[in-house]
């Protein structure tokens, strides 16, 4: 009765059948037998499990009846069936190959592959083939050349029976490269690992040639690099890895490449392509973690070289646009150039902020007195993109992403705050990408980082401006409230500030 119940449980998948095996062996009995046990080699897809992770041979009743145990048993059974089918296919191929190579005679080595869960596959193979194709087998079988002796070779606790059997089949194949066409990269990596373990040199080279020739996904690329490094194949893997490595680059060479790429984007003739490449390069520059010691990033010198180039172009275009020369270029083309250069500069500033290198640019932008004067002479609809640069800097300063001295912060607002006020209405209406609240918060925070007397000067000026312009002026009343409390409610001891205030208070008529 107990035996019938156990049999029923095996059929239902509660207990795996340890006697399941698949073998191909001619019916002959060797006069002698010698056993060679090969240490197990794990495939690339997994690592050796700890003893505690091995299947429990005596599960409790609760474990057997649990849904998880049933599901795992079914999955294991399905996997086993697929493996059996594939192994049977390989063994049939091996048998047919042996028959077509009659000069080899009958197999004189019984090779058995045993998985960790006890699944066994046995096949009769030829010592001559093993010794010719595998340096490992050649060494192990060289001492046993007695005629009529049948050797028994066992590969124990292997990770993937299917891969081991297929590797043996490959030893009988004349054109391995053709045989591998269409195989999955992960499968070829598994075959490569077994070939390396048994020193099957032709198999190793065929797998490497395959990997060198086929395209890789990014996930496959990581696996290939990892496994080739782990296998330590030295020069054999060089050509494969040339796809992802090159001669060590100096920083000067990298700077030349970055300058070419970034400069090319700034000078692109097609606006759509320029926008796409700006987005792509920005994303790629953000991908590499700052904690990576081997990162080769765009240098500060390159970025500031491009900043100066953009500013010089802006000055020339604004000078030409504001002049009275009748021979100047078409006004529409000039205005397009101004908007384009301002947009280019915004992009470089974004990169500087992201790379935490924008501190020098704040001072550079604050010093552009000539540009600010020229800006005031151009119609607002053409110049408002320039004021977005000031907004960028205020947002970054207000978030603590740029750290510069208070004199530099005040100089920035002294030079460009009036321009930002004048252009704010156009900025808000002309571009959907403008976040009005973000600019107002950034400006508020920037103002509040200044000494109290400078806060007062700026905020009283803003108060008059806002009353007359309304929504066309940034609403920084939050900064006004904080300044008010600091000045009239908390009343901390005053600190003498002898700085030269550059902003002038003025009224605006209704």
């Amino acid at each position: 009765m107990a035996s019938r119940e156990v049999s029923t449980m095996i059929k239902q998948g509660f207990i795996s059948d340890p006697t399941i095996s698949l073998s191909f062996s001619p019916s002959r009995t060797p006069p002698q037998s010698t056993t060679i046990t090969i240490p197990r080699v794990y495939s690339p897809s997994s690592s050796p499990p700890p003893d505690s992770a091995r299947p429990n041979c005596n599960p409790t009743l609760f474990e057997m009846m649990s849904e998880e145990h049933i599901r795992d048993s079914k999955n294991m059974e399905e996997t086993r069936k697929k493996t059996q089918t594939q192994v049977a296919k390989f063994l049939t191929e091996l048998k047919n190959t042996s028959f077509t190579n009659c000069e080899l005679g009958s197999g004189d080595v019984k090779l058995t592959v045993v998985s960790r869960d006890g699944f066994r596959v046995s096949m009769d193979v030829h010592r001559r083939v093993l010794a010719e194709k595998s340096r490992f087998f050649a060494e192990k079988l060289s001492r046993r050349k007695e005629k009529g002796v049948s050797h028994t070779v066992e590969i124990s606790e292997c990770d993937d029976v299917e891969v081991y059997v297929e590797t043996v089949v490959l030893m009988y194949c004349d054109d391995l490269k053709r045989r591998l066409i269409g195989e999955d990269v992960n499968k070829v990596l598994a075959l490569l690992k077994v070939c390396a373990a048994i020193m099957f040199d032709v198999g190793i080279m065929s797998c490497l040639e395959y990997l060198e020739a086929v395209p890789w996904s990014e996930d496959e690329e990581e696996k290939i690099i990892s496994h080739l490094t782990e296998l330590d194949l030295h020069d054999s893997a060089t050509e494969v890895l040339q796809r992802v490595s090159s001669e060590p680059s100096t920083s000067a060479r990298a700077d030349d490449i970055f300058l070419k790429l970034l400069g090319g984007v700034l000078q692109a003739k097609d606006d759509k392509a320029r926008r796409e490449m700006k987005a792509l390069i920005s994303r790629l520059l953000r991908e590499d973690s700052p904690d990576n010691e081997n990162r080769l990033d765009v240098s500060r010198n390159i970025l500031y070289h491009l900043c100066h180039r953009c500013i010089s172009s802006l000055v020339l275009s604004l000078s030409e646009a504001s002049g009275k020369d009748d021979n100047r270029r078409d006004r529409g083309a000039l205005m397009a150039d101004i908007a384009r250069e301002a947009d280019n500069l915004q992009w470089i500033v974004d990169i500087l902020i992201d790379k935490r290198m924008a501190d020098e640019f704040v001072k550079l932008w604050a010093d552009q007195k000539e540009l600010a004067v020229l800006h005031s002479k151009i119609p607002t609809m053409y110049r408002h993109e320039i004021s977005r640069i000031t907004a960028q800097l205020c947002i970054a300063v207000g978030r603590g992403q740029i750290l510069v001295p208070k004199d530099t912060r005040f100089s920035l607002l002294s030079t460009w705050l009036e321009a930002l006020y004048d252009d704010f209405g156009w900025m808000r209406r002309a571009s959907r990408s403008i976040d009005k609240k973000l600019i107002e918060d950034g400006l508020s925070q920037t103002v509040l980082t200044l000494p109290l007397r400078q806060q007062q000067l700026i905020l009283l000026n803003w108060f008059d401006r806002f009353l007359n312009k309304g929504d066309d002026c940034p609403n920084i009343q939050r900064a006004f409230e904080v300044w008010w409390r600091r000045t009239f409610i908390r009343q901390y001891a005053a600190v003498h500030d002898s700085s030269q205030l550059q902003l002038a208070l003025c009224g605006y008529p209704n």
Side-chain angles (χ1 to χ4, degrees), residues 352-365:
L352 285 171
I353 293 171
D354 188 64
K355 300 296 179 187
R356 303 174 185 176
M357 294 188 291
D359 51 331
E360 185 180 329
F361 184 81
V362 178
K363 187 176 188 309
L364 175 64
W365 192 240

Side-chain angles (χ1 to χ4, degrees), residues 131-372:
E132 285 181 357
K133 298 297 178 70
S134 164
R135 287 182 286 123
F136 179 85
F137 282 119
E139 179 186 349
K140 295 298 182 182
L141 297 172
S142 62
R143 306 166 193 167
R144 301 171 175 83
K145 297 182 179 179
E146 300 89 349
K147 292 183 178 180
V149 175
S150 175
H151 304 291
T152 300
V153 179
E154 182 174 291
I155 303 176
S156 61
E157 294 193 31
C158 77
D159 185 61
D160 194 329
V161 169
E162 180 183 326
V163 174
Y164 278 89
V165 174
E166 186 171 2
T167 303
V168 173
V169 174
L170 293 179
M171 290 185 179
Y172 286 82
C173 185
D174 293 329
D175 191 349
L176 286 184
K177 186 174 181 180
R178 183 178 178 184
R179 174 72 160 67
L180 292 174
I181 290 176
E183 287 286 4
D184 178 76
V185 167
N186 290 326
K187 179 65 170 291
V188 174
L189 284 174
L191 290 170
L192 174 62
K193 194 159 190 178
V194 176
C195 290
I198 62 175
M199 291 180 275
F200 175 20
D201 293 332
V202 175
I204 292 172
M205 293 310 301
S206 297
C207 290
L208 290 176
E209 287 176 5
Y210 171 90
L211 294 172
E212 192 280 327
V214 298
W216 309 335
S217 68
E218 291 194 11
D219 289 340
E220 288 170 342
E221 178 178 315
E222 294 296 327
K223 291 179 181 178
I224 289 169
I225 295 171
S226 172
H227 292 116
L228 291 184
T229 303
E230 178 185 340
L231 291 176
D232 197 20
L233 296 173
H234 303 293
D235 295 340
S236 301
T238 300
E239 289 195 12
V240 179
L241 295 177
Q242 280 181 353
R243 190 181 300 188
V244 294
S245 63
S246 60
E247 296 178 3
S249 297
T250 63
S251 58
R253 284 186 57 193
D255 278 352
D256 289 342
I257 294 172
F258 286 131
L259 180 59
K260 180 178 178 59
L261 293 174
L262 297 173
V265 171
L266 298 182
Q267 297 171 6
K269 295 180 179 179
D270 187 282
D271 285 339
K272 181 175 181 293
R274 183 170 64 96
R275 288 192 300 270
E276 289 181 2
M277 288 300 100
K278 280 168 57 180
L280 174 62
I281 291 178
S282 294
R283 176 167 56 81
L284 292 174
L285 289 174
R286 290 188 182 102
E287 277 186 4
D288 199 4
S289 169
D291 298 329
N292 182 1
E293 294 180 358
N294 298 320
R295 71 196 305 251
L296 194 57
D297 206 352
V298 58
S299 71
R300 174 188 288 261
N301 289 339
I302 292 298
L303 293 173
Y304 278 98
H305 171 77
L306 296 173
C307 285
H308 283 284
R309 182 194 294 180
C310 290
I311 290 174
S312 296
S313 296
L314 274 176
V315 170
L316 288 175
S317 295
L318 287 172
S319 297
E320 189 173 355
S322 62
K324 298 181 179 180
D325 186 358
D326 293 333
N327 295 323
R328 65 173 182 258
R329 285 185 294 154
D330 177 74
R331 190 173 186 83
L334 270 173
M335 298 312 171
D337 286 347
I338 293 170
R340 177 191 178 92
E341 289 301 334
D343 183 67
N344 284 339
L345 193 52
Q346 290 167 31
W347 180 52
I348 300 298
V349 171
D350 265 337
I351 295 174
L352 285 171
I353 293 171
D354 188 64
K355 300 296 179 187
R356 303 174 185 176
M357 294 188 291
D359 51 331
E360 185 180 329
F361 184 81
V362 178
K363 187 176 188 309
L364 175 64
W365 192 240
D367 289 342
Q368 299 306 310
K369 311 293 185 182
E370 179 187 1
L371 184 60

